Amino acid sequence: MKRFLSLTLIVLLVFSVFAMPAMAASGYSVKTTASVNLRKGPGLDYGKITSVSSGKSFTYQGISQFDSRGIAWHKISYNGGTAWISWKYSNLQYNGNSIDESNCVQATASVNLRAGAGTNYAKLTSVSKGKRLVYLGESQNDSRGVRWYKVSCSKGIAWVSSRYSKLVAPGSSISSSTVVT
């Protein structure tokens, strides 16, 4: 009996570790706005998996990254695996509603990304000054009145303090970013 319980706990632990980004992205999807190539990684340097037509929807994995050109790529579920899709040819959606992707969040200092909107939530990862993150269109104030932005990072969906980040236009240069007010 102990062996069965131990095995069950191990299976649940392994499942929870690998399923965490997918569960964190619950309700999110990516819908193509034009014919687009799905790629093996976040950028044109990665191999093409296939092409898909406009209007296709995919489950969002909660992870987005900017490439060297400043274009964001969303990680999606595809054919039992994952693929990456450019945000130039897709819309990130939450519960079927498009998220405005006219802003991103840029770290103004090294900053921790957290599991919720406040310092009392677990640290998921940290990013250095200048790092850009896809803004998921939501912000909240914590108990101290500090605004937190909901973003996508390498660990999935996270929150970043406005004390160490700002909303910027995605195409602006890092050194002279346009602050969105």
Side-chain angles (χ1 to χ4, degrees):
M1 182 68 172
K2 284 184 180 181
R3 185 175 179 158
F4 175 74
L5 285 175
S6 295
L7 183 59
T8 302
L9 287 174
I10 289 170
V11 168
L12 289 173
L13 180 63
V14 169
F15 174 76
S16 68
V17 168
F18 289 108
M20 190 167 59
M23 290 189 322
S26 179
Y28 287 91
S29 62
V30 177
K31 187 173 184 178
T32 60
T33 58
S35 292
V36 61
N37 292 331
L38 300 184
R39 298 201 171 266
K40 294 178 182 179
L44 296 175
D45 296 336
Y46 293 89
K48 174 182 156 184
I49 297 171
T50 191
S51 294
V52 294
S53 59
S54 181
K56 301 286 184 188
S57 289
F58 300 95
T59 300
Y60 178 56
Q61 292 294 307
I63 299 173
S64 298
Q65 287 182 227
F66 284 91
D67 66 14
S68 60
R69 302 170 304 138
I71 305 298
W73 293 76
H74 303 305
K75 190 174 187 180
I76 59 170
S77 296
Y78 177 73
N79 259 4
T82 60
W84 292 81
I85 186 169
S86 169
W87 78 348
K88 287 179 71 172
Y89 306 104
S90 64
N91 284 120
L92 187 56
Q93 300 184 332
Y94 182 67
N95 290 333
N97 298 312
S98 291
I99 294 173
D100 180 8
E101 294 179 291
S102 62
N103 297 320
C104 65
V105 175
Q106 181 175 326
T108 57
S110 292
V111 61
N112 292 330
L113 303 184
R114 299 197 174 268
T119 56
N120 55 318
Y121 290 92
K123 174 186 164 186
L124 297 177
T125 190
S126 59
V127 297
S128 58
K129 180 180 181 178
K131 175 76 173 175
R132 294 206 176 180
L133 303 161
V134 169
Y135 176 53
L136 297 177
E138 186 179 339
S139 62
Q140 290 182 10
N141 287 344
D142 67 14
S143 60
R144 301 167 300 149
V146 175
R147 169 118 1 239
W148 289 74
Y149 302 119
K150 192 175 191 181
V151 297
S152 172
C153 69
S154 62
K155 301 291 184 183
I157 294 174
W159 293 82
V160 61
S161 170
S162 64
R163 288 189 174 172
Y164 307 102
S165 65
K166 61 185 175 183
L167 289 176
V168 298
S172 60
S173 68
I174 290 177
S175 60
S176 62
S177 295
T178 304
V179 178
V180 179
T181 56

